[in-house]
Amino acid sequence: MQITTLRAFADNYIFMLSGDAGPETAAVDPGDAEPVFRYLQTSGRPLTAILNTHHHRDHTGGNRALLERFPGIAVFGGAGDRGRIPGQTHFLVEGEEFSVCGARARVLAVPGHTKAHIAYYFSADGGGHLFSGDTVFGGTIGNLFEETPGVMFQSIQKIRRLPPETKIWCSHEYTLQYVRESAGIDPGNKRLALRLRKLEATDPSGAPTVPLTLEEERATNPFFRWDDPALAGRLGKDPGIDVFLRLCEIT
Ligand code: ZN
Ligand code: FE
């Protein structure tokens, strides 16, 4: 399976998945149909599926126009998003698996940003791929619009248990802004300071920082470091959920 990154709006990403053997092509979170149409025209491929992580318009706003051009294609989304994702045909729950673009996707329920938010995990040699929508960003996590910090903590724990070499394809380019903010929260973290220096040395209009790697988020994203004694001490908490909850308060 090949993955191509498209930009949309100010800072959204749309990911195009294409099968190695056939013409199968899927769009992950097509908030805008136009970049998808351009990609399909250039590549000469048909669209055969849409994978939505959650119902927000910047992730689903292109569904209708894509379905008009490609009627009857599968539209995957969380079971709890029934009625909120345009054209949804598949209502997925935790642990469910399905085939798309010649690969096997496993569904992770990751409520937090929204109640019904899901992520798609594709295992692969040398590191699988996680399409995580607005759950994780470089250096931070998504806003908690429909759930409590405690629920998001469960979801982040679930993601942290994936293999460290997992590539994380998140839906927004926020990395520089939040790695900078995180460096202020966790100033003793040398790996985080190094990450910030590298980002600041890079042309801000340049290449995407996505995919992230789980290994780097585990080492530098405070929300993945609730059990780090130094960070906990700095926040005046015991290592564990209290660190995560405190981070939700101060960011
Ligand atoms: Zn969202
Ligand atoms: Fe979003």
Side-chain angles (χ1 to χ4, degrees):
M1 184 179 80
Q2 303 295 315
I3 302 167
T4 304
T5 300
L6 309 179
R7 289 182 182 272
F9 311 121
D11 51 34
N12 275 79
Y13 289 124
I14 299 167
F15 303 111
M16 301 302 302
L17 315 182
S18 52
D20 296 321
E24 272 196 280
T25 310
V28 180
D29 281 350
D32 185 2
E34 285 314 312
V36 177
F37 283 135
R38 280 198 297 275
Y39 168 85
L40 296 170
Q41 195 164 27
T42 306
S43 64
R45 304 181 73 98
L47 188 69
T48 54
I50 293 172
L51 277 61
N52 289 128
T53 61
H54 66 296
H55 73 289
H56 286 160
R57 253 193 95 75
D58 63 310
H59 300 251
T60 61
N63 282 21
R64 284 277 174 237
L66 293 169
L67 285 164
E68 273 172 34
R69 186 81 63 89
F70 301 99
I73 64 170
V75 179
F76 296 92
D81 267 335
R82 186 180 288 270
R84 301 207 293 185
I85 292 179
Q88 187 174 358
T89 59
H90 290 68
F91 303 86
L92 304 168
V93 296
E94 168 70 28
E96 210 169 332
E97 295 193 5
F98 61 97
S99 292
V100 62
C101 298
R104 200 85 188 133
R106 178 157 59 87
V107 176
L108 274 66
V110 287
H113 178 69
T114 66
K115 273 192 185 307
H117 201 302
I118 59 170
Y120 299 92
Y121 178 67
F122 296 78
S123 65
D125 293 340
H129 302 281
L130 182 73
F131 295 90
S132 56
D134 289 354
T135 302
V136 182
F137 299 115
T140 192
I141 57 171
N143 286 322
L144 301 173
F145 288 125
E146 297 183 356
E147 278 294 359
T148 61
V151 169
M152 185 60 130
F153 183 55
Q154 301 291 324
S155 295
I156 298 299
Q157 282 181 290
K158 193 181 289 184
I159 290 172
R160 203 180 80 161
R161 284 194 293 267
L162 294 170
E165 57 275 16
T166 300
K167 294 182 179 68
I168 300 177
W169 302 81
C170 62
S171 291
H172 293 269
E173 181 61 60
Y174 292 152
T175 308
L176 174 58
Q177 176 187 346
Y178 286 102
V179 166
R180 188 175 279 148
E181 186 175 311
S182 295
I185 293 168
D186 192 10
N189 185 332
K190 290 197 175 68
R191 180 85 190 272
L192 175 54
L194 178 66
R195 186 181 188 188
L196 177 59
R197 276 205 302 280
K198 279 188 181 161
L199 286 165
E200 285 178 335
T202 306
D203 176 4
S205 63
T209 64
V210 174
L212 316 168
T213 66
L214 180 56
E215 188 277 325
E216 188 166 44
E217 294 311 311
R218 287 177 58 151
T220 62
N221 185 331
F223 290 91
F224 282 73
R225 297 175 57 72
W226 61 82
D227 50 2
D228 180 73
L231 176 60
R234 184 166 167 85
L235 296 173
K237 301 288 178 189
D238 290 329
I241 186 171
D242 287 346
V243 170
F244 189 92
L245 299 180
R246 182 70 187 138
L247 288 166
C248 291
E249 283 172 11
I250 63 175
T251 59

